[in-house]
Amino acid sequence: MPTAMDRKNGKVLGYKEAVQLTNPSNPKLKGEVDDKYFYASDNKDDKVHGWVSTNPPVGFWMITPSNEFRTGGPFKQDLTSHVGPTVLSMFVSTHYAGEDLAISFQHGETWKKVIGPVFIYLNTNAAAKANPSILWNDAKKRGYQFWTKTDPHGNFIIEKVISDTYNLYATVPEIIGDYKYASNIKVTPGSIIKLGILVYKTPRHGATIWEIGVPDRTAAEFFIPNPPSQYKVHKYQNDTESKFKQYGLWEQYGALYPKKDLVYNVATSKYSKDWFFAHVTRGKMRKNKSRHVEFEAKNKLYFVLEMSGEH
């Protein structure tokens, strides 16, 4: 990450959170865009995040033992850090979602929601001066999560569950809707609970004529353009993540469709190359009667459905 001074000396772009680094202390970062949204993560993936210093070698970690208190579910994204360094623990936010997830109260309403727990963990090891991952790997062993990912055959085990009564939910990649186990599950100390075979019947009420993409809560399968050439791309370990988190991707829609919006033919088009990953506006400048310049946003999506004689 850049430093706070790197951001201060950089060039503010389309919104204040996005700054292009023009003279960073680390020359390798020159030309990159820094944005707090780059340091976001799905709730399901954020067990632990934090910082490592090298002199002395100390790790400072924000551990989220369980995400059940957060709104938006396991696929809701939220922020983890700000340049500074600042470590965040987001309890409830409208990031990536809007005001529907904001906390609101009626007059005289009692708030009963429990926030947390969160665990702030510090560790140190002399060997971490040469290998900071020692502290990172230690931090990942802490805490607990009441969720897991199945193996390729659908088998799963959830360990370290605190005694209580629970609901069991599941999502299946590329399958619409959520599964909920019919009964409550009561966990007692030392118990081993076997649920047997769980079957999810998807909510289909008729034949599917056509669909674009897959219902997996991401836009990864659609066409994601390269960012504008004036911005240096930071390479993440996950290339799909690197694609999504580049600044200015929305501007590429206007570059691809400067005069007319895209037309998608459901019989011949392929969503991996013909469907832009985000619904964005294509701007047009015009003057009103008072001679002020206004920005008119235009975005129309056209579908073409061709039926052959076989259907």
Side-chain angles (χ1 to χ4, degrees):
M1 295 177 76
T3 66
M5 188 59 65
D6 291 340
R7 281 186 55 90
K8 184 177 180 180
N9 294 333
K11 176 184 177 182
V12 178
L13 299 175
Y15 49 93
K16 65 180 182 179
E17 291 86 356
V19 174
Q20 188 172 23
L21 306 174
T22 56
N23 188 28
S25 53
N26 180 356
K28 293 181 179 180
L29 300 179
K30 186 174 182 178
E32 285 191 10
V33 178
D34 181 77
D35 186 339
K36 69 179 184 180
Y37 294 103
F38 288 176
Y39 314 114
S41 175
D42 287 0
N43 284 340
K44 65 180 178 60
D45 298 327
D46 186 17
K47 296 180 180 180
V48 53
H49 62 271
W51 305 85
V52 175
S53 66
T54 55
N55 189 22
V58 174
F60 182 95
W61 309 104
M62 182 66 68
I63 298 177
T64 306
S66 173
N67 282 302
E68 59 189 336
F69 65 89
R70 286 176 164 168
T71 56
F75 293 94
K76 166 72 164 62
Q77 287 195 42
D78 230 319
L79 309 182
T80 63
S81 307
H82 288 326
V83 166
T86 301
V87 176
L88 305 176
S89 179
M90 304 298 299
F91 295 157
V92 178
S93 85
T94 59
H95 295 130
Y96 302 99
E99 291 299 320
D100 287 346
L101 290 186
I103 297 177
S104 60
F105 306 98
Q106 299 296 323
H107 179 71
E109 180 182 358
T110 301
W111 190 29
K112 298 181 180 180
K113 184 175 178 62
V114 175
I115 294 293
V118 294
F119 176 29
I120 297 175
Y121 178 61
L122 282 78
N123 57 359
T124 185
N125 187 316
K129 196 164 187 176
N131 182 14
S133 293
I134 291 176
L135 302 180
W136 167 240
N137 292 331
D138 172 58
K140 289 191 291 185
K141 298 176 182 178
R142 312 294 165 174
Y144 58 88
Q145 290 280 333
F146 297 165
W147 70 273
T148 190
K149 185 177 181 180
T150 70
D151 67 18
H153 303 289
N155 303 309
F156 69 94
I157 298 175
I158 301 178
E159 299 178 327
K160 302 180 181 179
V161 178
I162 294 177
S163 300
D164 211 328
T165 301
Y166 297 89
N167 293 313
L168 177 68
Y169 291 90
T171 60
V172 184
E174 303 184 10
I175 300 297
I176 195 169
D178 296 314
Y179 168 83
K180 181 184 178 183
Y181 189 60
S183 304
N184 293 337
I185 299 174
K186 187 175 183 180
V187 178
T188 57
S191 62
I192 298 177
I193 300 172
K194 297 182 178 180
L195 299 177
I197 298 176
L198 308 179
V199 179
Y200 176 45
K201 296 182 179 180
T202 58
R204 295 280 183 173
H205 303 291
T208 300
I209 299 176
W210 57 273
E211 61 184 0
I212 298 177
V214 293
D216 61 356
R217 295 175 171 83
T218 79
E221 71 271 26
F222 300 126
F223 176 72
I224 306 172
N226 292 321
S229 58
Q230 64 266 36
Y231 306 123
K232 183 179 176 182
V233 176
H234 174 81
K235 293 295 184 182
Y236 291 81
Q237 291 181 347
N238 182 328
D239 186 59
T240 301
E241 181 179 327
S242 176
K243 276 279 192 177
F244 273 117
K245 293 188 176 180
Q246 296 310 311
Y247 176 82
L249 292 182
W250 59 89
E251 296 177 351
Q252 300 302 79
Y253 182 82
L256 291 169
Y257 306 98
K259 295 183 179 180
K260 295 183 178 181
D261 287 295
L262 68 85
V263 174
Y264 190 93
N265 187 312
V266 298
T268 59
S269 298
K270 296 184 181 299
Y271 56 73
S272 60
K273 65 176 183 178
D274 299 319
W275 186 258
F276 201 76
F277 81 105
H279 291 184
V280 298
T281 57
R282 177 166 46 80
K284 178 182 177 182
M285 299 301 293
R286 63 182 174 88
K287 291 185 178 181
N288 63 13
K289 294 181 180 179
S290 61
R291 304 180 69 180
H292 290 111
V293 176
E294 296 181 349
F295 183 81
E296 180 182 10
K298 291 191 174 184
N299 186 16
K300 299 178 181 178
L301 304 176
Y302 298 92
F303 300 91
V304 178
L305 178 62
E306 295 182 351
M307 302 294 287
S308 69
E310 301 175 354
H311 299 284

